Amino acid sequence: MVATSTEFVIERPQGWLGRVLEFARRNPTVVIGTSILALMAAVAVFAPWLATDPLFINPIDRLKPPSKEFWFGTDHLGRDVYARTVFGTRISLTVGLAVATFSTAIGLAIGLVAGYIRIVDAIVMRIMDGLMAIPGILFAIALMALFGSSVQNVIIAITVPEVPRVVRLVRAVVLTIREQPFVEAAVASGTRLPRILVRHILPNIFAPLIVQATYVCASAVIVEALLSFLGAGTPPEVPSWGNMMADGRVYFQIKPWILLFPGICLALMVLTVNVLGDGLRDTLDPRIARRMG
Amino acid sequence: MAPSDMAPSDMAPSDMAPGDMTPATARAATNGDAETVLEVQDLKKFFPVKRGLLSSTVGQVYAVDGVSFTIRRGETLGLVGESGCGKTTIGKLVMRLLEPTAGVVKILGTDITAVSGRGLRPYRREMQMVFQDPYSSLNPRMSAGAIVREPLKNYGLDGGSIGGEKQAEALFARVGLKREHMAKYPHEFSGGQRQRLGIARALALNPSLIVADEPVSALDVSVQAQVINLLMDLQVEYRLAFLFISHDLAVVEHISHRVAVMYLGKIVELTDKRTLFTTPLHPYTEALLAAVPVPDPEISRQRLILEGDVPSPINPPSGCRFHTRCPYAVERCRHEEPPLIEVQPGHAVACHLREVGAPPIKLEKRASATA
């Protein structure tokens, strides 16, 4: 799509489509990752139209292998594994995105302040150290025992241990950026503190933060599945991939499809999110982006 | 008022060469007349040295220890010295990027030492800085146009998107950058272009004083000359006062009108450029000048070569700070600190061996002094 003349002048592609294709050519990982994730999001949103009732129990059809009627087979209660996998996308995607959003938002706010204001730093970081000392899984189990299992509680249980990690990252980046001469230059030219934080510090945190957010998202998806697998996550009647894998565990050697399909979906989602994160990091950093282009 | 609004030739050519001023006018400059842009009195900055778990202060780094000087409008004061002697700290103290431990900094006659935070903003307009590293002093995520327009925005001088664009364009033109450069990002520029961008940013607010902290030391020699000449042109055009910090004597000789030589946080000699480079009075200045390479192998010179390292500024030597390396040192130098006094009109030096009114004869080496 790029018209390159003999004088090495790269002309900007014309039109909306041209620019999109040019972007796709330069950043294949971002485009592939976004596409798969968008597909998963679409599946999650349109689940009721794509599959039958995931909770419908039909003991006559139990433990059926994949067939024309049941694409992914059925489980020990005769529930359609395909329908449950499709609906499970909702849980995983919701938990992953919610945890990533909340933990980065909270972590960014705390980290920015801690990194720039020295007095706050000491206090906040000790609290964060304390939070990090709590084992995530134990915390989740305790929370479930106290407040009962629900998707909302799962999100809270995963977000809380993730926040200190984000805070540490943001604070570390802020500490290096605040010493950069361009921040001094901004101070010297009369820039006020809020503007320094927003215009000079924040944009330079963005790249590592986005990457961190995708890793948080990926790990949240895994932790949710793990908690569900242990029975401390989403309620058993909710079709989440972790619950399905827990159900299928007993039958794995003879009826592997019950565990296999949600497992594949889980792996695909985590991989996609991680690939997307790496792609975004390269794209968001203008220096690396130009070199790769 | 943006520099672009200013008539480029509102000054008589006779004002333009303060380097040729007589010692009498040089002395007048130290008396704080209306033309004085920057006045620094007994400026001090000590950094605490912290150690241990509870980070208790175990000592002080005497980075700047009682420095005084003035700069007039349209004048360049060169500040030279080895690395670690406190040159950059002085620049940052003047710019108030660091808080001074003691002393007074006056901008256009106003003492700004007690002013802080928001109150400093009107004074920041009058003093701008050009940084040493043209790479890290520009935000990599801001376009060149946005970088130059930021100071204008800070003071509400941007005048909307069209007005701001025009002002930035004029600044770009003034420093020799093209209009097309405005949309580019710092990493797309060469070192020299980046430094021009830094100069355009410093010019944006039409300041009275520019603190240039080693502005060319990161550049190629060929580009150095261009940037130095640009700075000198701008000085004439806008009657800027420069505090020019450098370790490169050739550059300082080219751009400065007066030169201050620093050693371990103190000014040891301060005079006009010509006098300093022809008849240096302080032994340290003499040694510095002797260290400048001469591009002619035929010339053999009697050189004063210093021995030993610069003593630590945490524990500076007693008496004259230079006595540990001075080949002329006498007993008095070890105990008594020499004050910076004006021994000739317009020529101040801090050395016991130089008395007021004494002729600038060469000093005699003392073999016993180093033993």
Side-chain angles (χ1 to χ4, degrees):
Chain A
M1 260 337 269
V2 184
T4 311
S5 78
T6 45
E7 290 141 325
F8 298 101
V9 178
I10 298 169
E11 284 171 25
R12 290 274 154 107
Q14 296 298 305
W16 178 82
L17 191 69
R19 252 176 281 152
V20 170
L21 286 171
E22 167 67 11
F23 181 81
R25 194 190 63 79
R26 280 179 181 244
N27 310 291
T29 49
V30 176
V31 174
I32 293 168
T34 314
S35 307
I36 298 177
L37 217 58
L39 188 75
M40 285 179 164
V43 167
V45 170
F46 299 110
W49 290 274
L50 291 171
T52 53
D53 184 4
L55 300 177
F56 180 69
I57 297 171
N58 188 4
I60 297 166
D61 284 331
R62 69 174 186 268
L63 301 172
K64 287 272 168 70
S67 65
K68 219 180 231 173
E69 196 186 349
F70 304 108
W71 292 353
F72 292 177
T74 59
D75 66 6
H76 64 293
L77 295 173
R79 293 175 296 192
D80 186 358
V81 174
Y82 166 72
R84 292 176 69 76
T85 308
V86 166
F87 275 87
T89 316
R90 284 185 161 184
I91 306 296
S92 291
L93 217 53
T94 311
V95 171
L97 291 181
V99 170
T101 311
F102 293 141
S103 56
T104 30
I106 300 167
L108 177 66
I110 299 175
L112 261 183
V113 174
Y116 215 87
I117 306 167
R118 292 248 160 111
I119 309 159
V120 180
D121 185 43
I123 302 160
V124 167
M125 289 323 286
R126 294 298 80 74
I127 296 172
M128 291 302 138
D129 288 348
L131 271 181
M132 282 185 110
I134 304 169
I137 304 285
L138 271 184
F139 177 73
I141 293 171
L143 209 67
M144 294 305 145
L146 270 175
F147 300 106
S149 61
S150 70
V151 176
Q152 191 192 321
N153 285 351
V154 169
I155 292 172
I156 296 171
I158 305 172
T159 303
V160 172
E162 289 290 353
V163 166
R165 277 177 248 277
V166 180
V167 169
R168 283 196 158 192
L169 172 88
V170 172
R171 174 180 170 270
V173 179
V174 170
L175 285 180
T176 52
I177 294 174
R178 60 172 290 170
E179 301 298 327
Q180 290 286 314
F182 68 78
V183 175
E184 274 191 337
V187 174
S189 61
T191 314
R192 291 198 181 93
L193 180 63
R195 201 183 143 82
I196 286 177
L197 287 178
V198 173
R199 288 281 293 178
H200 294 276
I201 310 261
L202 198 59
N204 289 291
I205 298 177
F206 232 69
L209 192 65
I210 288 280
V211 179
Q212 181 75 11
T214 55
Y215 296 149
V216 167
C217 177
S219 99
V221 170
I222 291 178
V223 173
E224 183 277 325
L226 178 72
L227 287 174
S228 298
F229 189 84
L230 292 174
T234 44
E237 71 274 12
V238 177
S240 90
W241 292 342
N243 282 340
M244 293 172 71
M245 288 161 83
D247 290 342
R249 184 190 42 153
V250 202
Y251 307 96
F252 180 61
Q253 284 179 331
I254 45 166
K255 318 278 181 193
W257 58 84
I258 306 174
L259 192 144
L260 206 59
F261 289 106
I264 289 170
C265 286
L266 182 69
L268 185 67
M269 183 179 277
V270 171
L271 186 68
T272 306
V273 171
N274 279 333
V275 166
L276 180 65
D278 284 351
L280 278 176
R281 182 195 51 204
D282 298 343
T283 314
L284 288 171
D285 192 326
R287 286 158 299 189
I288 300 174
R290 297 296 145 84
R291 227 177 292 146
M292 304 211 346
Chain B
M1 186 171 62
S4 53
D5 301 334
M6 218 166 116
S9 57
D10 61 347
M11 54 186 291
S14 59
D15 293 351
M16 288 183 188
D20 295 333
M21 65 190 169
T22 59
T25 56
R27 199 160 29 156
T30 57
N31 294 337
D33 55 322
E35 285 288 84
T36 303
V37 172
L38 174 70
E39 188 176 350
V40 172
Q41 290 168 4
D42 204 24
L43 193 64
K44 288 180 185 173
K45 179 67 185 177
F46 306 151
F47 294 103
V49 181
K50 289 184 174 171
R51 219 163 272 160
L53 200 62
L54 299 167
S55 57
S56 51
T57 306
V58 294
Q60 309 256 41
V61 178
Y62 298 89
V64 176
D65 195 2
V67 163
S68 307
F69 58 87
T70 57
I71 307 179
R72 303 189 316 154
R73 204 172 281 281
E75 182 191 39
T76 301
L77 177 72
L79 197 56
V80 291
E82 286 164 285
S83 45
C85 73
K87 313 182 293 261
T88 299
T89 308
I90 287 183
K92 288 191 175 175
L93 287 171
V94 168
M95 290 300 296
R96 277 300 282 276
L97 295 170
L98 289 174
E99 292 296 315
T101 308
V104 173
V105 175
K106 282 186 185 173
I107 291 287
L108 298 171
T110 319
D111 181 1
I112 60 161
T113 342
V115 188
S116 65
R118 202 165 274 228
L120 267 178
R121 276 173 53 83
Y123 302 104
R124 289 215 188 276
R125 271 184 80 164
E126 294 296 339
M127 45 183 188
Q128 290 292 302
M129 191 159 183
V130 176
F131 289 82
Q132 173 173 14
D133 183 354
Y135 293 87
S136 58
S137 61
L138 302 173
N139 186 341
R141 285 170 196 283
M142 279 169 83
S143 69
I147 288 170
V148 172
R149 283 173 65 178
E150 181 168 54
L152 296 168
K153 278 192 180 143
N154 291 338
Y155 289 92
L157 303 167
D158 196 37
S161 56
I162 300 162
E165 191 97 346
K166 275 202 174 145
Q167 291 191 52
E169 217 179 297
L171 286 164
F172 269 61
R174 190 60 203 84
V175 299
L177 290 172
K178 293 201 189 88
R179 198 198 136 100
E180 302 87 83
H181 287 142
M182 282 168 62
K184 289 192 170 186
Y185 283 82
H187 69 272
E188 296 172 273
F189 290 100
S190 69
Q193 284 176 320
R194 280 162 166 260
Q195 203 52 296
R196 285 170 192 272
L197 206 54
I199 293 168
R201 169 173 62 188
L203 279 179
L205 290 171
N206 193 21
S208 302
L209 169 74
I210 287 185
V211 175
D213 183 7
E214 308 242 14
V216 295
S217 61
L219 306 176
D220 289 345
V221 177
S222 58
V223 183
Q224 279 189 7
Q226 294 170 12
V227 171
I228 289 290
N229 289 336
L230 172 66
L231 284 172
M232 291 174 82
D233 289 348
L234 292 169
Q235 175 168 56
V236 171
E237 195 170 319
Y238 303 121
R239 295 198 71 203
L240 293 164
F242 280 148
L243 175 59
F244 192 91
I245 299 163
S246 183
H247 62 263
D248 187 336
L249 283 168
V251 170
V252 166
E253 185 176 12
H254 188 62
I255 195 169
S256 304
H257 303 122
R258 287 190 301 143
V259 181
V261 180
M262 280 190 77
Y263 186 78
L264 275 180
K266 283 191 179 286
I267 290 180
V268 294
E269 188 161 8
L270 173 62
T271 183
D272 65 278
K273 168 177 79 182
R274 195 169 297 167
T275 317
L276 187 97
F277 282 90
T278 51
T279 48
L281 291 184
H282 199 280
Y284 179 63
T285 315
E286 193 190 325
L288 268 189
L289 294 177
V292 175
V294 175
D296 187 348
E298 300 296 314
I299 293 177
S300 71
R301 295 177 302 167
Q302 207 198 340
R303 297 186 11 165
L304 175 64
I305 295 166
L306 292 182
E307 282 170 18
D309 286 328
V310 185
S312 162
I314 297 173
N315 196 4
S318 61
C320 175
R321 292 189 173 190
F322 189 58
H323 85 255
T324 52
R325 300 168 79 194
C326 182
Y328 315 121
V330 293
E331 192 54 32
R332 189 183 171 198
C333 301
R334 290 163 205 259
H335 311 297
E336 197 182 320
E337 196 170 330
L340 186 69
I341 44 169
E342 203 168 341
V343 292
Q344 301 285 336
H347 193 161
V349 65
C351 182
H352 288 309
L353 304 172
R354 300 293 186 184
E355 277 160 26
V356 179
I361 43 145
K362 259 193 97 55
L363 296 167
E364 296 277 324
K365 260 189 201 173
R366 281 159 197 277
S368 59
T370 48

